[in-house]
Amino acid sequence: MSKDKYNLKKDVSVHWFRHGLRLYDNPALLAALENCEQFYAIFIFDGEVAGTKTAAYPRMSFLIECLHDLNKQLKEKGGQLYVFRGDPVETFTNLFKEWGVTKLTFEVDPEPIWYERDNKVKALCEKKNVKWEEYHGHTLWNPNEVIENNGGSPPLTFKLFTQTSELVGLPPRPRAYPDFSKVKMDVSNNDNNRFFIPTCEDLGVFPETEHQKNPLNHYIGGEVRGRKLLETRMKVESVAYESGYCMPNQYKPDLLGPPLSLSPHLRFGSISVREFYWRLRDTYTEMYPDKDIPVSLTAMLIWREYFYTMSVNNIKFNQMADNPVCLNIKWYKNQEQLEKWTNGQTGFPWIDACMNQLRTEGWVHHVGRHMVACFLTRGDLWISWEDGLKVFDKYLIDADWSVCAGNWMWVSSSAFEKMLQCPKCFSPGMYGRRMDPTGEYIRRYVPELGKMSLNYIFEPWKAPQEVQEKAGCVIGKDYPPPMVNHREASQRNQKLMEEAKNLLMNKKNSHCCPSDEKEVRDFVWLPDHTPAGSVCSGDTLCGGIESL
C-alpha cells in the first residue's frame, strides 16, 4: 500500500491483538512501532474472536489469563492493553476519530471464518484514510504461498505438503522483542472501567463444576508462563535427543504429570510457533551437527500447518456437507449415546477418564483424543465426527477451527479411504492399558474405580461380584456397564466403512488422505515396532516398548 496516499501529520499506531497474544516474535506489533509517535495496543471481544463463541470455562479462562499477562507486560513498558467489547468496525470507527489513528496492524488469522471480519475492517481503513498492515505469525509459512507452490491448490497429502513447503523454504527465524522506548504510550485512568479486562462471568461463561473451576492440572495462559513451559519442554526434548529418539511423548506419554504440551499457547499465540520450531531444530543440530534433521522432530507442528493450509479457501472445512475434502458418510444419530460419551458414562474406563479430564481441565493428551474420537465414530458408536467436534470445540483449551476439524476428519476416516481401520488401531481396553499401564490415570479421573484392582480396572465388568463389592464399585450401580459390545460394534462398523468406500469408489473425491502406513502410525502415536520386531497396534499391549 502506497505511503504517499496518507497525510501522516502525527503517527498514531494501533496494534489489534486477536491471536498472537505475545510480545516476542510478533511481526505485526513490530510494524506498528515503526515510525510511530503514539502507540496503542487493543483487544476486542466481539463474541467470536479467538474461538470465544463456543468456549466453555477452561478455554475462556486461558484467554483471560493471556490478556492479563499482556496487560502486565505492557504496563511494565509504560502502556496498557485497551480492551473493548462490541463490533470491530464500530469500535475502530470511534477510535480512529478519538485517537487520530494513522496506522492499524494485526496478525493474519489464516482461517476463512475470519475473512469477513477482517475485510470489513480493511474497508473501513481505506474509507478513513488509515493505513493497515497485516503479517503472518500464527503459522510457520504463509498458507497461500504453499498453495501457490503446489499449482494453486492445497496439497492433499501430508507427504505432498512437506515436499511443497520445502519449495517455499525454511520458515523465517523469530523476530526480536519490540522496543517501546521510542514511542509514547498513554495509560488510561480507566474511568468507569471503560477498558477493563472482563472475567469469564462478565462474558456469560461460568464453571460447570467445582472441578472445572479448580482443576487438578491447570494450564495457565500468557506469554510469561508459556515461555517457562517452553524451557521445561526443551529440557525434556534434549533428554530424548541424547537417548536417540524424538517426540518423547509418542511412546510413553506422561498422562499424569504437569502440563507439558505447548499447543494451548500455540493456539492463542502466546508462544511463537516459529520460535518453537527453530528451538527444536537448533537443539538437535547442536547435539548432532553432522546428522540430517529427522522429519519426526517437528512433525506435529507440520501437521498443524497442513490443516491450516487445507482450510484456507474452504469455509466448509469444519462440516461434512459441501466439504470437498471430506467423505460423505451416513453416520448414526443417537443423542443418548452422544451424551454418555460426552459425560464420561460409556462404561469403558479409559474412554470415560479421557472425557472427564477434557470437561474439567480443558485438556486431554493426543493419545486420548484419538481414542475417544475413534470410539465415537468408526470404532464403536458410528456417530458423526461433527458431533464430537462440537464437544471438543467447547471444552478444549487448544481447539481451533481448522486443526480440530482436521483431526476429527482424519481419525473418523472421513478424510481417507482405507488406511485406517479401527480394529487394527484402537481397542478401548487394550489401548488404554498400553498408555496407562498402572491404571492411575483411570483412578484419578474415574474415582468410582479408585479401589478396583489393576487386573480389572480397564474392563471392570469382568470382575467377579466379590471383587466389585470389595472395591466399592458394583457395575450397574456405582459405575455403568459398557454401552456397547466393542467387538461386535467394531465388526459392524468395519462392514459399514467398507460399504461407504464401495459406494464412493467410483466418485471423484479430492479428500485428503494418508501417503503411506508409516504416516498413519505416526499420526496416531503408534510405534513402528516392538523390540522383538513385531508390529505394534492398539489392540495389543506392545510389550517391551518401554525400552524403546
Side-chain angles (χ1 to χ4, degrees), residues 416-421 424-425 501 514-517 520:
F416 353 72
E417 290 182 343
K418 61 182 179 181
M419 196 57 78
L420 287 176
Q421 289 298 317
K424 298 180 181 178
C425 289
K501 287 188 294 183
S515 305
D516 50 47
E517 186 171 357
V520 172

Side-chain angles (χ1 to χ4, degrees), residues 269-397:
S270 46
I271 285 293
S272 161
V273 64
R274 298 190 300 196
E275 180 183 13
F276 187 30
Y277 176 89
W278 281 107
R279 287 289 298 274
L280 291 170
R281 288 180 62 97
D282 290 345
T283 300
Y284 188 89
T285 300
E286 288 172 9
M287 200 171 295
Y288 301 106
D290 298 325
K291 287 187 177 182
D292 292 334
I293 294 178
V295 174
S296 60
L297 189 79
T298 56
M300 290 299 107
L301 297 181
I302 306 303
W303 275 112
R304 177 179 183 267
E305 294 289 310
Y306 174 54
F307 288 134
Y308 272 120
T309 302
M310 289 299 300
S311 74
V312 162
N313 297 313
N314 183 3
I315 193 65
K316 306 291 188 180
F317 190 72
N318 70 331
Q319 64 187 55
M320 183 170 66
D322 302 318
N323 182 352
V325 300
C326 179
L327 297 179
N328 198 321
I329 296 173
K330 293 182 179 180
W331 302 104
Y332 295 159
K333 280 286 183 183
N334 191 317
Q335 188 62 31
E336 180 182 355
Q337 288 191 341
L338 177 63
E339 289 178 2
K340 287 183 178 180
W341 175 83
T342 301
N343 295 318
Q345 293 292 308
T346 68
F348 292 92
W350 211 70
I351 298 291
D352 294 341
C354 292
M355 295 306 295
N356 290 341
Q357 184 186 21
L358 169 64
R359 292 193 328 280
T360 56
E361 299 180 4
W363 173 258
V364 63
H365 194 283
H366 285 76
V367 296
R369 300 184 196 193
H370 294 150
M371 180 68 252
V372 299
C374 178
F375 183 88
L376 180 72
T377 57
R378 60 185 169 81
D380 291 80
L381 303 185
W382 200 255
I383 292 175
S384 174
W385 63 269
E386 295 170 291
D387 293 323
L389 173 61
K390 291 175 184 176
V391 175
F392 273 35
D393 195 36
K394 178 180 180 180
Y395 290 109
L396 268 182
I397 296 173

Side-chain angles (χ1 to χ4, degrees), residues 80-100:
Q80 74 172 84
L81 180 67
Y82 291 80
V83 178
F84 300 88
R85 294 170 70 176
D87 178 70
V89 171
E90 293 180 6
T91 300
F92 283 122
T93 298
N94 296 329
L95 292 184
F96 289 171
K97 182 178 180 180
E98 180 179 348
W99 291 345

